[in-house]
Amino acid sequence: MPTTLFQHVQHRHGSGLAEVLQAVAAAAVQVEQALRTAGLADVLGTAGYENIQGEQQQKLDVIANEILSAAIGKLPTVAGLVSEEDDAPVVFAARPDAPYVVLFDPLDGSSNLDVNVNVGTIVSVQTRPAGTDAVTAALQAGSQQTAALYVNYGPSTLLVYTAGRGVHSFTLSSSEFVLAAEDLRMPASGPYYSLNEGNLAESDPAYTSAVAGLRDGSLTGDRHGSRYVGSFIADFHRTLLKGGIFLYPPTKKNPHGKLRLLYEASPLSFVAEQAGGAATDGQERILDLLPAEPHVRTPLVIGSRVEVSAVSDMLAGSPRE
Ligand code: AHG
Ligand code: MN
Ligand code: MN
């Protein structure tokens, strides 16, 4: 009998967390169904308004946000939610003492939706410290996370999670996520570098030098090929399995980087470190960063230890913004 996500989490971390991650998984099954039939149900394309990120919301961003918010929000153990698609945190005033706060990017990579390329869902779970409110709990450093999870909707739909005792992957099989692999390890070094090279001219020249060094082999001794999907979860998942490095540097348009700390960089940095990889903002460890507000952005350098430390060393020498 295959091991389900709920069984795996319950066995290692107890029923409380298992119920939260199972609610996320059940919501992901609904999101996957919405994605699969999107072309027929006229839900591709933009929803016609901008979110707090200043980005055109896709109809499926809104649908995925509604599915996840409803599924997680009805748990009596959840005190509040932070979503990429909601301007402000959702605080459940009726349950101020609930133990968990859940933060999520309901649909990552939505610019790829209309061209049938992998997209994902990213989730971070924080435990509310005694005496704090839900918003304070949401703004803890990534190192305090109780769990991190992402779903990769692709040729197969995979769910990967960590709760501090290794990284484990599950495959969606007839509406249930079943265990595929335990204790995933990111290779110490890998064959690919991954970034939007179209932005390089706008970034600190140290990034151009680092990428040139990855490409020609002078940075780590090994040459690297380029891979860039444009959906963070897809670029990260490949990096987790094959090794290498993903970068989203500061640009003129996004001087603090494009990716959001709380529900993109932080959860996947937790996964990366648990698998033996590393993640910095170019210099500081991502999991040490303290966010001032829910939608703060950060530069991101994430992947295999060899590449992340070599690139971060090179960037350390360059002046900060
Ligand atoms: P989201 O769809 O949640 O806004 O995330 C999109 C992000 C991330 O998935 C990806 O790595 C990045 O945007 C790609 O940005 P560029 O198109 O600027 O390369
Ligand atoms: Mn995203
Ligand atoms: Mn998103």
Side-chain angles (χ1 to χ4, degrees):
M1 184 68 172
T3 303
T4 65
L5 174 72
F6 182 86
Q7 290 165 337
H8 197 269
V9 180
Q10 186 185 43
H11 176 67
R12 274 171 153 74
H13 304 282
S15 301
L17 184 61
E19 280 157 15
V20 175
L21 299 193
Q22 180 53 32
V24 171
V29 171
Q30 293 179 61
V31 172
E32 193 271 343
Q33 285 160 358
L35 292 171
R36 197 152 24 89
T37 56
L40 304 174
D42 184 29
V43 291
L44 290 176
T46 60
Y49 40 88
E50 260 189 14
N51 60 13
I52 189 166
Q53 318 288 342
E55 291 159 352
Q56 273 303 316
Q57 266 187 330
Q58 304 292 323
K59 289 176 191 165
L60 280 162
D61 279 327
V62 176
I63 292 168
N65 192 38
E66 286 165 357
I67 291 170
L68 278 146
S69 301
I72 303 164
K74 71 181 177 204
L75 293 176
T77 52
V78 172
L81 306 173
V82 168
S83 167
E84 177 189 79
E85 301 302 336
D86 292 335
D87 296 2
V90 175
V91 175
F92 299 110
R95 43 184 200 253
D97 300 332
Y100 298 116
V101 173
V102 183
L103 308 94
F104 55 91
D105 174 0
L107 207 59
D108 173 65
S110 29
S111 63
N112 277 321
L113 277 170
D114 297 0
V115 293
N116 201 37
V117 167
N118 288 38
V119 292
T121 295
I122 309 173
V123 178
S124 170
V125 180
Q126 290 279 15
T127 297
R128 191 180 52 77
T132 66
D133 64 24
V135 176
T136 306
L139 295 177
Q140 294 177 88
S143 55
Q144 302 305 308
Q145 286 176 96
T146 299
L149 175 153
Y150 68 88
V151 183
N152 184 342
Y153 306 100
S156 63
T157 290
L158 302 177
L159 182 150
V160 175
Y161 92 93
T162 186
R165 288 177 53 190
V167 174
H168 316 291
S169 72
F170 295 75
T171 302
L172 182 59
S173 163
S174 55
S175 298
E176 183 84 76
F177 282 101
V178 295
L179 183 64
E182 288 188 307
D183 298 316
L184 295 179
R185 302 300 294 166
M186 188 185 287
S189 179
Y192 302 124
Y193 72 93
S194 182
L195 83 157
N196 181 342
E197 297 197 57
N199 292 331
L200 264 183
E202 293 183 12
S203 298
D204 176 336
Y207 280 98
T208 299
S209 312
V211 168
L214 289 163
R215 204 183 287 127
D216 67 19
S218 59
L219 193 69
T220 66
D222 295 311
R223 295 186 63 245
H224 292 69
S226 169
R227 289 286 188 282
Y228 192 66
V229 177
S231 297
F232 180 32
I233 53 93
D235 286 315
F236 177 79
H237 190 65
R238 181 199 57 249
T239 306
L240 173 65
L241 299 184
K242 303 280 187 195
I245 188 168
F246 172 92
L247 310 96
Y248 207 107
T251 64
K252 278 204 187 70
K253 185 179 171 204
N254 290 301
H256 298 290
K258 176 180 182 182
L259 298 179
R260 280 63 44 139
L261 176 62
L262 283 183
Y263 40 78
E264 289 177 308
S266 220
L268 294 198
S269 296
F270 186 18
V271 174
E273 288 198 4
Q274 281 287 308
T280 73
D281 66 355
Q283 284 160 16
E284 309 296 328
R285 181 180 175 236
I286 288 287
L287 295 185
D288 290 339
L289 300 180
L290 266 177
E293 55 90 18
H295 299 297
V296 68
R297 297 174 191 259
T298 178
L300 182 61
V301 178
I302 189 169
S304 296
R305 282 205 171 283
V306 166
E307 282 88 347
V308 169
S309 52
V311 168
S312 299
D313 289 350
M314 179 170 257
L315 296 174
S318 69
R320 301 275 290 163
E321 278 279 305

